[in-house]
Amino acid sequence: MSIARASEIDVPYGRISLYFRLFAIKVTVASQCFVARISLNIGQVIVREKQMAKVAFLGLGVMGYPMAGHLKKAGHDVTVYNRTTAKAEAWAKEYDDAFAVTPAEAVKDAEFVMACVGNDDDLRGVCIGTDGAFSNMRAGAVFVDHTTVSAKVTRELYGLAAEQNVSFVDAPISGGQAGAENGVLSVMCGGDADAFEKAAPIIDAYAKICRLIGESGAGQMTKMCNQIAIAGVVQGLSEALHFAEKAGLDGRAVVEVISKGAAGSWQMDNRHQTMLDDQFEHGFAVDWMRKDLGICLDSADETGASLPLTALVDQYYKDVQNIGGGRWDTSSLIKRLRALS
């Protein structure tokens, strides 16, 4: 294989163009109903293929709205549901597809049901009951949950779904609103391998990476690792920028230098300017972060993990809430430091 060389292969579904760059292959198929993705991991080739599917999407918040849009753009038949019907109507008008007034109506005949709601109770609400998804999904369908919830409720719903002959994949996401809008989310999954393999090509519409981590609940536990790591990084960045301000340094010049070394991070690259400008309307809200960190700390109690820094940063976010910053983004930890000095 030569690097950066394009070649073409005739297959029954049409003509595939392969673009080789290092060890990654991007595949484009000239066919109206077939999509395939091939990735190469140093000797191992994984092929994913799918027909266009009938999909329901439950929950049209800042993440779900664009995610459902990417499914439509990918050619899927999409029906959306949102607790506030007006938002579902607006989505249907924008994307020229259908909306439903209950989860039960939305999931009728769907092969895949994706959910992205608020918390454990919200997820139970769209899954269980006469108007819920599970009792109205067709046998063999796959339910994919993108909500960040506890592994406990995930395993509970996995079992209830199985009773209805429905597969359940926990698939929390990372990448924020920008990642959802640009279709480059990181998706960490738990559940049965066969259900994951069915759902992965659908998820690809808005994912940069989608990986099965383990059995049911493993996706949610991986998302907790993500939030634990973010909490520490954002607090460290806040302290660094606050220190620079107090020392009379040009914060942007400081970041320009240190971001190219070991201190560099996604948070530094994407949040330092708004932090220096005292603007906190650019990402995941503090209220939601506290919800997630609460899940992290509860899970740590169950597993025996020690999370002293996470517990401390959780209390710092509580301080931010107390000064009116519940809807500010997570980088507002620097606001707390400024208030203390």
Side-chain angles (χ1 to χ4, degrees):
M1 181 189 302
S2 64
I3 297 174
R5 184 190 69 210
S7 62
E8 294 185 345
I9 301 174
D10 287 316
V11 295
Y13 295 100
R15 183 174 297 273
I16 297 179
S17 299
L18 302 181
Y19 298 91
F20 301 99
R21 183 180 180 185
L22 297 178
F23 293 105
I25 303 175
K26 180 179 180 182
V27 181
T28 304
V29 182
S31 172
Q32 293 182 344
C33 65
F34 176 83
V35 174
R37 173 174 291 184
I38 298 178
S39 59
L40 179 62
N41 291 325
I42 311 179
Q44 180 183 13
V45 178
I46 303 168
V47 180
R48 293 178 182 168
E49 61 183 68
K50 66 177 179 65
Q51 300 289 335
M52 295 298 99
K54 183 172 176 58
V55 183
F57 203 105
L58 314 178
L60 299 175
V62 295
M63 305 293 284
Y65 195 103
M67 291 164 69
H70 285 298
L71 290 171
K72 176 63 177 179
K73 292 174 184 177
H76 299 295
D77 178 6
V78 182
T79 300
V80 299
Y81 162 79
N82 193 68
R83 186 164 49 188
T84 305
T85 304
K87 199 162 191 178
E89 289 181 296
W91 186 96
K93 182 177 180 180
E94 179 177 349
Y95 289 99
D96 192 27
D97 217 325
F99 74 94
V101 296
T102 65
E105 181 185 341
V107 306
K108 184 179 179 181
D109 297 325
E111 301 162 76
F112 299 91
V113 177
M114 329 307 262
C116 191
V117 292
N119 54 37
D120 287 23
D121 290 338
D122 292 333
L123 183 60
R124 285 192 182 99
V126 298
C127 290
I128 303 171
T130 55
D131 283 334
F134 287 172
S135 62
N136 293 281
M137 290 172 66
R138 73 186 202 184
V142 181
F143 189 102
V144 178
D145 174 36
H146 291 304
T147 317
T148 298
V149 294
S150 67
K152 181 179 179 180
V153 77
T154 290
R155 295 175 184 127
E156 170 195 330
L157 294 175
Y158 171 90
L160 292 174
E163 293 175 5
Q164 301 290 333
N165 197 20
V166 168
S167 297
F168 186 97
V169 176
D170 53 295
I173 50 182
S174 180
Q177 183 176 347
E181 291 172 349
N182 294 319
V184 290
L185 294 168
S186 295
V187 188
M188 49 221 83
C189 301
D192 300 333
D194 57 346
F196 169 79
E197 289 302 327
K198 291 177 183 176
I202 310 299
I203 298 171
D204 280 345
Y206 42 75
K208 175 173 60 177
I209 183 171
C210 177
R211 177 167 295 181
L212 180 65
I213 305 299
E215 62 186 15
S216 181
Q220 295 297 347
M221 297 299 271
T222 303
K223 180 60 183 288
M224 294 307 100
C225 295
N226 184 81
Q227 302 305 74
I228 291 165
I230 288 174
V233 169
V234 176
Q235 177 62 19
L237 176 59
S238 297
E239 292 184 15
L241 295 179
H242 178 62
F243 179 86
E245 289 175 342
K246 286 297 184 179
L249 303 175
D250 181 338
R252 287 172 173 77
V254 169
V255 169
E256 182 180 7
V257 175
I258 69 174
S259 64
K260 302 303 186 291
S265 68
W266 185 96
Q267 297 292 337
M268 184 176 289
D269 290 341
N270 290 275
R271 290 289 176 263
H272 79 275
Q273 294 195 51
T274 52
M275 292 169 76
L276 290 170
D277 291 337
D278 208 40
Q279 297 177 358
F280 306 107
E281 308 298 329
H282 301 277
F284 195 60
V286 167
D287 287 342
W288 292 114
M289 186 60 160
R290 285 217 70 211
K291 183 263 291 185
D292 289 0
L293 294 183
I295 297 173
C296 292
L297 295 171
D298 288 344
S299 298
D301 288 340
E302 295 170 5
T303 61
S306 178
L307 304 179
L309 179 58
T310 302
L312 190 60
V313 176
D314 178 57
Q315 291 306 301
Y316 293 164
Y317 277 124
K318 182 179 180 180
D319 292 342
V320 174
Q321 288 176 317
N322 290 338
I323 60 174
R327 301 306 301 169
W328 295 342
D329 69 58
T330 52
S331 68
S332 56
L333 283 173
I334 193 173
K335 191 86 166 176
R336 172 185 172 275
L337 297 174
R338 288 169 177 152
L340 289 173
S341 61

